[in-house]
Amino acid sequence: MSFLKSLFGLGGDKAAGDGPVAAAKETEHKGFIIRATPYKEGGQFQTAGTISKEVDGQMKEYKFVRADRFSTLEEAADLSLSKGRQIVDEQGERMFK
């Protein structure tokens, strides 16, 4: 269980400042809203984000985490947006099924 917690940013050491960070950046791409939500893990920022879109009158959301880590929030957020655009380009609305 601790592996899953650390994978999704839920098991960080709060005393060391690890854990979730609010949405750092946001963009629209092909009708999808991509939010960069990197989180601090082990003194670095883990690449993560959400992709959302209204489908059939219901807001759908897809969360992603990648292995890439950066020393700055800015770098992690930029790559999170890039990865989000890549996911949208490759999967489109199929990611919600």
Side-chain angles (χ1 to χ4, degrees):
M1 181 73 159
S2 67
F3 168 73
L4 292 175
K5 284 184 176 181
S6 65
L7 179 65
F8 292 104
L10 301 174
D13 179 2
K14 304 302 179 203
D18 287 358
V21 175
K25 291 186 177 184
E26 184 176 305
T27 190
E28 186 275 334
H29 182 67
K30 296 183 177 179
F32 293 80
I33 302 298
I34 303 167
R35 290 181 185 88
T37 58
Y39 58 91
K40 199 152 189 186
E41 181 71 38
Q44 293 185 311
F45 291 94
Q46 185 85 34
T47 302
T50 62
I51 301 168
S52 58
K53 183 177 182 180
E54 188 172 321
V55 178
D56 297 327
Q58 186 177 21
M59 187 58 79
K60 301 283 187 170
E61 184 175 81
Y62 176 83
K63 295 181 181 184
F64 64 92
V65 177
R66 297 295 181 261
D68 307 289
R69 291 187 181 181
F70 296 92
S71 59
T72 68
L73 178 61
E74 181 81 14
E75 291 174 313
D78 288 343
L79 187 65
S80 296
L81 293 180
S82 177
K83 290 293 185 181
R85 285 189 290 269
Q86 181 181 6
I87 292 168
V88 168
D89 290 344
E90 290 175 357
Q91 298 183 30
E93 289 184 14
R94 291 186 319 230
M95 78 180 85
F96 300 129
K97 295 181 181 186

